[in-house]
C-alpha cells in the first residue's frame, strides 16, 4: 500500500462525472437559479454544471481547508466574505469533493445566513462517505477508501507538494543530499502508488518549479536538496 494513495483523474472523467451529477440534480426536480462554485476546487465542475443544467448565473466563494495536497489544516476558513442578495433564489453549491466536509459546511452556512437564498443544496463529484461529516444532496461517486484524487486543475501544484513532502519525510531521502533521478522515481511510486511518467510533461515542470522556489537544484543525473 502506498503511504498516500493517489488516483490521477483525467479531463474526460471530469466531464463525464459532471454530466452524471447534473443528471442527478435534474432528475430530482431541483432547478437552481444560481450556481455557486467553491473556490478553487469547484470551479471546473461548477462551470460544467452551468452548461449541463442551463444555468447562467455563476458566483463563487473561497472556502479553504486543505493547505497542501493530502494534508488538511486544522480549520476551514472563508476568504473574502462579501455579501450579495439572493433572496428568492435557489442555489446549487458546487465543489469537487466532500472529504471531511468542513469546507462545504462553512460555505453553505455562510451563504444561507448572509445571502439569504430560498434554498441551498450541495452537489459534488465525489463523496468520501467513510470520513465525511455529512452526505451531500447530490454526488456522482461515493468513495469508501480514502484516496487523494489528483484532479487535472492541480497537477503541477500537487506534484510539487508530493515531491517536497517525500524529500522532507522519507527516511532514506532525508539523509541524502544528491538523489539520483531513478531513486526519486522509485520512491515516488512507493509513496503515492502512481508513476512520475503518469504525469507526462508535468513531472519535469514540477522539478523546474521546485528549483525556481529554491527547494532543489537539478544536476546531471539527479537532484540536490537545497532547503
Ligand atoms: P474538505 O473540507 O475536507 O471536504 O475538503 C476541501 C477541499 O480540499 C476539497 O474541495 C478539495 O478541493 C480538496 N480535497 C480534500 N480532500 C481531497 C481528496 N481526497 N482528493 C482531492 N482533493 C481533496
Amino acid at each position: 500500500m502506498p503511504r498516500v494513495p493517489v488516483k490521477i483523474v483525467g479531463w474526460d472523467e471530469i466531464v463525464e462525472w459532471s454530466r452524471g451529477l447534473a443528471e442527478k440534480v435534474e432528475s430530482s426536480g431541483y432547478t437552481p437559479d444560481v450556481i455557486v462554485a467553491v473556490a478553487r476546487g469547484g470551479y471546473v465542475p461548477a462551470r460544467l454544471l452551468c452548461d449541463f443544467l442551463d444555468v447562467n448565473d455563476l458566483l463563487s466563494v473561497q472556502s479553504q481547508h486543505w493547505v497542501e495536497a493530502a494534508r488538511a489544516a486544522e480549520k476551514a476558513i472563508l476568504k473574502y466574505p462579501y455579501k450579495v442578495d439572493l433572496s428568492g433564489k435557489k442555489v446549487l453549491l458546487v465543489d469537487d469533493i466532500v472529504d471531511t466536509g468542513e469546507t462545504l459546511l462553512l460555505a453553505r452556512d455562510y451563504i444561507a445566513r448572509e445571502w439569504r437564498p430560498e434554498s441551498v443544496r450541495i452537489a459534488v463529484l465525489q463523496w468520501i462517505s467513510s470520513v465525511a461529516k455529512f452526505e451531500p444532496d447530490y454526488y456522482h461517486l461515493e468513495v469508501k477508501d480514502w484516496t487523494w484524487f489528483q484532479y487535472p486543475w492541480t497537477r503541477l501544484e500537487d506534484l510539487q507538494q508530493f515531491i517536497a513532502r517525500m524529500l522532507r519525510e522519507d527516511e532514506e531521502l532525508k539523509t541524502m543530499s544528491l538523489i539520483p533521478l531513478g531513486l526519486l522515481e522509485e520512491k515516488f511510486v512507493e509513496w503515492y502508488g502512481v508513476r512520475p511518467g503518469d504525469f507526462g510533461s508535468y513531472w519535469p515542470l514540477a522539478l523546474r518549479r521546485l528549483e525556481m522556489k529554491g527547494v532543489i537544484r537539478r544536476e546531471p543525473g539527479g537532484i540536490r536538496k537545497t532547503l
Side-chain angles (χ1 to χ4, degrees), residues 65-66 95-97 99-103 128 147-149 151:
H65 183 210
W66 295 72
D95 206 352
D96 45 9
I97 188 166
D99 187 320
T100 64
E102 301 268 359
T103 307
I128 311 189
T147 303
W148 183 263
F149 292 92
Y151 298 119

Side-chain angles (χ1 to χ4, degrees), residues 71-85:
R71 281 227 159 148
E74 289 279 299
K75 215 168 149 277
I77 52 156
L78 199 80
K79 284 178 148 185
Y80 312 108
Y82 63 98
K83 283 194 191 181
V84 285
D85 179 10

Side-chain angles (χ1 to χ4, degrees), residues 98 104 122-124 126-128 132 134-139:
V98 174
L104 269 162
I122 291 177
V124 294
Q126 296 177 285
W127 169 47
I128 311 189
F134 74 100
E135 179 178 341
D137 300 297
Y138 308 102
Y139 59 88

Side-chain angles (χ1 to χ4, degrees), residues 15-54:
V15 177
E16 200 185 300
W17 297 354
S18 301
R19 189 198 312 253
L21 182 59
E23 274 163 16
K24 288 196 176 157
V25 176
E26 199 169 358
S27 61
S28 76
Y30 192 61
T31 51
D33 304 294
V34 181
I35 288 184
V36 179
V38 179
R40 295 171 295 163
Y43 266 57
V44 176
R47 182 62 188 90
L48 289 167
L49 283 185
C50 284
D51 198 20
F52 288 127
L53 294 173
D54 226 350

